[in-house]
Amino acid sequence: MEHLPVEVIGNILSRLKAARDVVIASATCKKWREAWRNHLHTLSFNSNDWSVYHDLAPSRLEILITQTIFQTTALQCLSIFMDDVDEFSAAPVIAWLMYTRDTLRQLHYNVRTTPNVNIIEKCSRQKLEVLSLAHNSVTGVEPSYQKFPCLKSLSLSYVSISALDLSLLLTACPKLQNLTLINPDIAMSDAQAIMELNSSSLKDIYVEAVSLDKFILEADSIENLHLKDCTLEAFELIGKGSLRVLKIDDVSVLHLDIGENTENLQIVDVSSFTIMWPKFYNMISKSSNLKRLRLWGVVFDDEDEVVDLETVSVCFPRLSHLSLSYDLRDVCGLQGTSPLENVVVLELGWTIISDLFSDWVAGLLERCPNLKKLVICGVVSEVKSHEECQVLASFTSSIVRLMRKYMRVEVQFEYE
């Protein structure tokens, strides 16, 4: 160990991440203390790493963090996640940011400050590549002055920011590729809640718990779009057909528009969502490269609508993974004869188990000649009547009989 270069020791200490572990390890000898001072590049203060953090007052934590950071000279990644701390004073937070700003590449920070510290201002015009903020406020963004020339990933969770400042912030990040918005408090300048974001470099966006009248995203390079737990009257994506992954999870939206150029779409994953099948199908119908289609727990706007497997098989010839779970009625959507030639994984789920579900499974198996794996998912309540137990038993027996015809197919049951 004594022959290890200090740079290697610095990498070893950095892999520990947790500040307490790094401090203890650096006390090994003089050489390790030198590596701590000059070659440590990653440091994390997380309330889950050490139980003592929970017992310390915020002022004591501020001193501890300050003393630790100020013993280093080459920090590139600083993470401060203290869930039990209501707030830090502004002065020490500013000191941490100013001390590390010349070398810092990643900053993860989730503690409120009093008074509020404009972290965007303190971190701009530097080499920051990843910025993750939570429980803070962002105000007065000036893209002509507060530039982030190297920022590639931005995450804002429970952050208070106006729609205008968020738009300006994206303008200040010419290399931004990943954007995460989780339950932001978005202030609007007028009565109608409309947010417009524009980024030519953005590739991946995740939006959770956002309520707006209209959300317009203009992103020429977008590849991954994930909306979760959102309430929107309208969402519009303006791009150039680069979208590859579309995920919609428990979203209420009256008008959804992802553009006409969907040729590159490969994955569509929709769950807990009300859809009009003809309109939804028309939106993705040009996605001839689609490989995964998941419609899970979806509700059809018209009770007579179902997923039309004939159109699915014809329009998505490369489909290899198909996942379906919705309320089966008298019509299962099994009309037609076109096979799903390339489907190798079939995942099916029920809302209400019945004989109709067994018939649906059988019909789908016939349409998938090259199937390798079948996954059946369902919800089993803790208390079941004798009749419900009989239905479940009958279903299990029917599946056992059915799968004797498909010995090559692996069967997996997932109940919750």
Side-chain angles (χ1 to χ4, degrees):
M1 292 290 284
E2 64 270 15
H3 300 298
L4 284 176
V6 288
E7 294 84 0
V8 174
I9 298 173
N11 287 332
I12 294 173
L13 293 174
S14 297
R15 289 180 178 274
L16 295 176
K17 295 183 179 180
R20 176 178 178 270
D21 297 337
V22 174
V23 170
I24 293 174
S26 66
T28 303
C29 63
K30 182 178 179 180
K31 192 173 184 178
W32 282 63
R33 287 193 292 273
E34 180 188 350
W36 149 266
R37 286 193 302 272
N38 300 321
H39 299 282
L40 181 75
H41 54 76
T42 301
L43 192 60
S44 172
F45 299 87
N46 192 311
S47 53
N48 295 322
D49 290 340
W50 190 24
S51 60
V52 175
Y53 284 140
H54 300 285
D55 302 325
L56 298 178
S59 58
R60 184 71 187 96
L61 275 173
E62 292 168 2
I63 294 172
L64 183 64
I65 294 173
T66 302
Q67 290 176 339
T68 307
I69 291 177
F70 277 36
Q71 292 182 60
T72 69
T73 60
L75 274 187
Q76 296 181 19
C77 178
L78 176 61
S79 177
I80 300 177
F81 271 71
M82 294 291 175
D83 292 330
D84 295 340
V85 179
D86 291 331
E87 59 186 31
F88 280 146
S89 300
V93 175
I94 294 174
W96 305 335
L97 297 176
M98 298 305 292
Y99 183 79
T100 59
R101 62 180 301 183
D102 290 339
T103 59
L104 210 58
R105 299 291 185 274
Q106 297 186 30
L107 174 63
H108 307 266
Y109 182 74
N110 81 329
V111 186
R112 295 182 181 88
T113 56
T114 303
N116 182 61
V117 174
N118 192 339
I119 294 179
I120 298 297
E121 178 185 358
K122 303 302 179 186
C123 295
S124 62
R125 307 184 310 281
Q126 300 300 319
K127 300 176 182 179
L128 204 64
E129 297 177 3
V130 176
L131 177 59
S132 177
L133 294 180
H135 305 293
N136 276 265
S137 296
V138 177
T139 58
V141 177
E142 294 287 347
S144 59
Y145 173 69
Q146 298 167 350
K147 291 183 177 296
F148 290 85
C150 302
L151 196 67
K152 296 180 180 178
S153 178
L154 174 65
S155 175
L156 303 176
S157 302
Y158 304 93
V159 167
S160 176
I161 187 171
S162 70
L164 176 59
D165 278 333
L166 181 55
S167 178
L168 292 174
L169 182 55
L170 263 61
T171 303
C173 307
K175 295 184 179 180
L176 189 67
Q177 296 182 5
N178 301 288
L179 175 64
T180 299
L181 300 174
I182 298 177
N183 201 9
D185 181 9
I186 301 176
M188 296 295 168
S189 57
D190 51 35
Q192 192 173 19
I194 299 177
M195 183 168 70
E196 298 184 40
L197 301 180
N198 189 321
S199 174
S200 60
S201 60
L202 192 65
K203 292 185 176 181
D204 191 314
I205 182 169
Y206 174 84
V207 181
E208 180 180 340
V210 169
S211 297
L212 294 167
D213 291 334
K214 191 171 186 179
F215 186 176
I216 301 174
L217 174 64
E218 187 171 351
D220 292 343
S221 304
I222 193 74
E223 295 181 0
N224 298 287
L225 170 62
H226 190 172
L227 303 177
K228 181 179 180 180
D229 297 335
C230 293
T231 302
L232 308 166
E233 286 192 14
F235 177 87
E236 182 179 358
L237 173 64
I238 302 173
K240 292 185 176 180
S242 58
L243 189 65
R244 295 178 179 273
V245 179
L246 173 65
K247 292 187 177 182
I248 303 174
D249 183 4
D250 197 10
V251 172
S252 173
V253 59
L254 298 179
H255 177 71
L256 177 65
D257 183 3
I258 61 171
E260 296 182 358
N261 299 325
T262 59
E263 290 86 354
N264 290 312
L265 202 57
Q266 296 183 6
I267 298 175
V268 173
D269 187 336
V270 179
S271 58
S272 304
F273 184 63
T274 300
I275 65 175
M276 295 176 61
W277 173 248
K279 189 174 181 180
F280 182 80
Y281 164 74
N282 185 61
M283 184 175 66
I284 63 172
S285 61
K286 296 180 182 178
S287 309
S288 57
N289 291 314
L290 195 68
K291 296 179 180 179
R292 293 173 180 260
L293 176 62
R294 183 175 185 266
L295 302 175
W296 206 260
V298 296
V299 177
F300 294 99
D301 189 61
D302 186 336
E303 64 178 16
D304 293 328
E305 290 178 348
V306 290
V307 176
D308 186 350
L309 290 177
E310 183 70 13
T311 56
V312 168
S313 61
V314 172
C315 294
F316 310 132
R318 298 187 179 182
L319 195 66
S320 61
H321 288 65
L322 178 61
S323 303
L324 298 174
S325 174
Y326 54 88
D327 188 11
L328 293 173
R329 299 182 178 88
D330 294 336
V331 181
C332 298
L334 294 173
Q335 297 87 347
T337 58
S338 299
L340 296 160
E341 291 280 0
N342 291 313
V343 172
V344 293
V345 177
L346 181 62
E347 185 179 12
L348 303 174
W350 71 64
T351 50
I352 299 175
I353 190 170
S354 64
D355 293 337
L356 189 60
F357 183 76
S358 301
D359 296 338
W360 188 51
V361 174
L364 279 163
L365 281 170
E366 290 181 2
R367 301 285 284 272
C368 303
N370 297 307
L371 192 68
K372 295 181 180 179
K373 184 176 182 179
L374 171 66
V375 182
I376 295 179
C377 305
V379 178
V380 180
S381 58
E382 293 183 5
V383 180
K384 300 190 76 66
S385 65
H386 176 71
E387 182 180 353
E388 289 174 322
C389 291
Q390 289 295 103
V391 171
L392 183 58
S394 175
F395 166 73
T396 304
S397 298
S398 66
I399 293 296
V400 170
R401 290 193 299 270
L402 177 64
M403 295 316 297
R404 286 172 181 159
K405 295 171 55 180
Y406 301 95
M407 298 299 290
R408 71 184 187 281
V409 180
E410 176 190 351
V411 184
Q412 180 178 325
F413 293 89
E414 294 183 0
Y415 294 157
E416 59 179 72

